């Protein structure tokens, strides 16, 4: 069967609006509103509670992401295989965040947050597979739209606005939850997936009988000899993600407890995210098209993590406005290049092209799972060495992530 393609005129706007609509609100809530609410509910245990929420979120995200990817790959509907799950996930996420805003105790908040984590991954796994709808020679542009522009807006643009709601964090949960649903719906309408009811590929064809043997279950993930480059990309994604989120996940506490910004906390967070947004968008505009033109992919992705490492060390050493600006500059370039091209690199090393949503979804757990792993690691090192240790963690993990990417063999450069 001929591969379904969608025009870049529809795909690119959807790949920008879509990830910005789910990632932006999630980043703002995860890095600002959730810590603020936890501090309000139990200030004495706030660091450990962030780690608890992150650990539980990691488990829920890992399971729901794989389930969402498999279901999406096997779905047949007049709205396509991705859209129904994306819309459903966005709606449940909105409801969960509205419920979280009314939390008056930790168990209630944890329950609502976990429901939101599960729903979020039913957006993520199918949506990133939209990149595969692009023509072969335009996938760099599509990947850049998703990661370089959409995720740059999500990672940094919303925190600028989110910082304004630090004193009204409960309202922030509601507003950003609603925005997720509306923005995601707009993206789905723009992309407008074609019907795949008549699709007769192996993944969507209903088998007469399904037997779930141990061999079938273990074959979900291929062996190292087959999936080596995919696993290296996944390792790189996870380590780079921890390196990034070890700092961004604790940015509020870094500003208040480490840099002692006091009344300048809000303006400092806005400054970092504004600079990162500008450079992230700039890289989003140029990284993908340049990759398509010069056929270079692995090296810019691998080397982009060096910028993150330099930024982390600089902030640790200077601890002033200059350090904040240099960190934002380095992280903006590094994350801009990374977000623009890492999904495309992963698409090139997927071991089974018939399970695009599943493998891309697992890979993109790096955007949610690493936000769960990083605070756990950060909480551990903070308790032993203090806040300064998370910058060393960021430096080391970022370098390991880059080295893993550079070890990929099937993509030459």
């Amino acid at each position: 069967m001929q591969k379904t393609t969608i025009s870049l005129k529809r795909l690119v706007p959807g790949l920008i609006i879509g990830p910005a609509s789910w990632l932006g609100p999630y980043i703002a809530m995860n890095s600002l509103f959730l810590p603020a609410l936890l501090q309000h509910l139990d200030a004495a245990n706030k660091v450990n509670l962030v780690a608890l929420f992150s650990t539980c979120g990691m488990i829920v995200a890992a399971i729901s992401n794989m389930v969402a990817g498999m279901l999406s790959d096997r779905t047949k509907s007049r709205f396509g295989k991705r859209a129904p799950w994306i819309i459903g996930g966005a709606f449940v996420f909105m409801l969960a965040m509205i419920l979280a805003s009314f939390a008056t105790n930790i168990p209630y908040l944890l329950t609502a947050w976990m429901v939101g984590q599960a729903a979020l991954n039913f957006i993520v796994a199918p949506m990133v597979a939209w990149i595969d709808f692009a023509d072969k020679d335009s996938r760099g542009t599509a990947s850049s739209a998703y990661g370089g522009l959409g995720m740059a807006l999500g990672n940094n643009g919303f925190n600028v606005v989110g910082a304004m709601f630090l004193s009204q964090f409960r309202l922030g949960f509601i507003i950003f939850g609603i925005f997720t649903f509306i923005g995601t719906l707009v993206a789905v309408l723009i992309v407008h997936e074609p019907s795949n009811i008549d699709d007769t590929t192996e993944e969507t064809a209903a088998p007469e009988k399904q037997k779930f043997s141990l061999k079938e279950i273990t074959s979900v993930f291929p062996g190292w000899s087959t999936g080596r480059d995919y696993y290296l990309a996944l390792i790189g994604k996870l380590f780079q993600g921890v390196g990034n989120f070890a700092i961004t996940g604790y940015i509020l506490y870094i500003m208040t407890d480490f840099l002692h910004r006091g009344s300048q906390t809000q303006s400092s967070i806005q400054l970092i995210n504004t600079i990162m947004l500008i450079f992230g968008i700039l890289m989003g505009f140029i990284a993908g098209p340049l990759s398509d033109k010069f056929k270079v992919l692995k090296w810019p992705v691998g080397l982009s993590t060096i910028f993150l490492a330099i930024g982390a060390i600089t902030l640790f050493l200077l601890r002033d406005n200059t350090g904040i600006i240099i960190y934002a500059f380095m992280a903006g370039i590094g994350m801009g290049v990374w977000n623009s091209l890492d999904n495309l690199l992963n698409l090139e090393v997927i071991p089974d092209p018939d399970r695009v949503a599943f493998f891309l979804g697992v890979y993109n757990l790096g955007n949610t799972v690493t936000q769960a792993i990083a605070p756990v690691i950060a909480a551990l090192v903070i308790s032993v060495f203090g806040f300064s240790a998370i910058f060393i963690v960021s430096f080391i993990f970022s370098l390991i992530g880059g080295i893993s990417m550079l070890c990929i063999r099937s993509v030459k450069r």
Side-chain angles (χ1 to χ4, degrees), residues 82-103:
R82 316 298 183 195
W85 298 106
I86 294 172
I87 293 298
F91 182 73
V92 175
F93 179 77
M94 174 184 66
L95 293 181
M97 294 304 99
I98 292 174
L99 291 174
S101 72
F102 293 101

Side-chain angles (χ1 to χ4, degrees), residues 85-306:
W85 298 106
I86 294 172
I87 293 298
F91 182 73
V92 175
F93 179 77
M94 174 184 66
L95 293 181
M97 294 304 99
I98 292 174
L99 291 174
S101 72
F102 293 101
T104 56
N105 57 69
I106 298 301
Y108 176 98
L109 178 60
L110 180 61
T111 301
W113 188 254
M114 291 308 103
V115 171
Q117 287 284 300
L120 183 72
N121 283 278
F122 273 84
I123 307 174
V124 177
M127 183 177 287
V128 71
W130 278 350
I131 297 173
D132 195 45
F133 285 134
D135 181 80
K136 177 71 174 178
D137 295 329
S138 303
R139 291 201 296 186
T141 300
S143 177
S144 191
Y146 181 93
L149 296 176
M151 293 188 70
L153 287 169
N155 272 313
N156 308 118
F158 283 74
N159 266 353
V160 175
V161 179
M164 300 177 183
F165 287 88
L166 276 176
S167 61
Q168 295 178 295
F169 47 82
R170 291 185 186 274
L171 179 61
F173 275 105
I174 297 173
I175 292 176
F176 280 50
I178 293 174
F179 186 92
T180 295
F181 177 69
I182 295 176
T184 301
L185 177 61
V186 170
V188 168
L189 292 175
I190 292 174
V191 172
H192 190 60
E193 284 183 60
S195 169
N196 71 328
I197 291 179
D198 297 326
D199 189 345
T200 57
T201 61
E202 181 180 351
E203 284 297 319
T204 56
E208 294 181 2
K209 290 183 180 180
Q210 281 191 323
K211 296 180 180 180
F212 295 97
S213 64
L214 178 61
K215 181 178 180 181
E216 182 179 354
I217 294 172
T218 56
S219 67
V220 169
F221 289 98
W224 178 262
S225 60
T226 302
R228 175 190 179 277
D229 286 350
Y230 175 79
Y231 294 133
L232 283 173
L234 182 59
I235 291 169
K237 177 80 166 181
L238 291 173
F239 274 84
Q240 185 271 354
V242 171
N244 177 43
F245 291 121
I247 293 179
T248 59
Y250 275 95
I251 193 66
L252 177 60
Y253 300 159
I254 287 173
M255 291 297 168
T256 57
D257 297 5
F258 179 70
L259 297 179
H260 305 291
R261 303 299 291 176
S263 61
Q264 295 181 316
T265 293
Q266 177 176 319
S267 60
S268 296
I269 292 174
Q270 289 175 316
L271 175 63
I272 287 177
N273 286 284
T274 299
I275 294 174
M276 289 184 66
L277 176 62
I278 292 172
F279 283 96
I281 290 177
L282 178 62
M283 294 300 104
F285 274 114
I286 66 177
L290 288 177
S291 175
D292 283 337
K293 182 176 181 179
F294 296 105
K295 307 302 179 185
V296 60
L297 181 58
K298 179 175 69 175
W299 282 96
V301 171
L303 295 177
S304 66
T305 62
I306 294 178

Side-chain angles (χ1 to χ4, degrees), residues 38 44-55 242 245-247 249-251 253-254 370-391 393-394 397:
L38 290 174
N45 298 303
K46 62 182 181 181
V47 172
N48 291 331
L49 283 173
V50 169
L52 171 65
F53 274 64
S54 297
T55 301
V242 171
F245 291 121
I247 293 179
Y250 275 95
I251 193 66
Y253 300 159
I254 287 173
T370 53
Q371 291 183 60
I373 298 174
V376 175
I377 296 174
L380 179 62
V381 298
I382 288 171
S383 64
V384 178
F385 302 105
F387 272 96
S388 60
I390 63 176
F391 299 98
V393 168
S394 177
F397 273 69

Side-chain angles (χ1 to χ4, degrees), residues 32-45:
L32 298 177
F33 304 154
L34 180 63
L37 183 52
L38 290 174
Q39 182 168 267
H40 173 73
L41 296 177
D42 190 352
N45 298 303

Side-chain angles (χ1 to χ4, degrees), residues 333-355:
I333 294 178
M335 289 305 299
V337 173
W338 176 277
N339 286 333
S340 295
L341 300 176
D342 79 305
N343 279 310
L344 177 58
L345 179 59
N346 184 249
L347 195 58
E348 293 293 328
V349 297
I350 281 179
D352 185 353
D354 289 329
R355 292 191 288 155

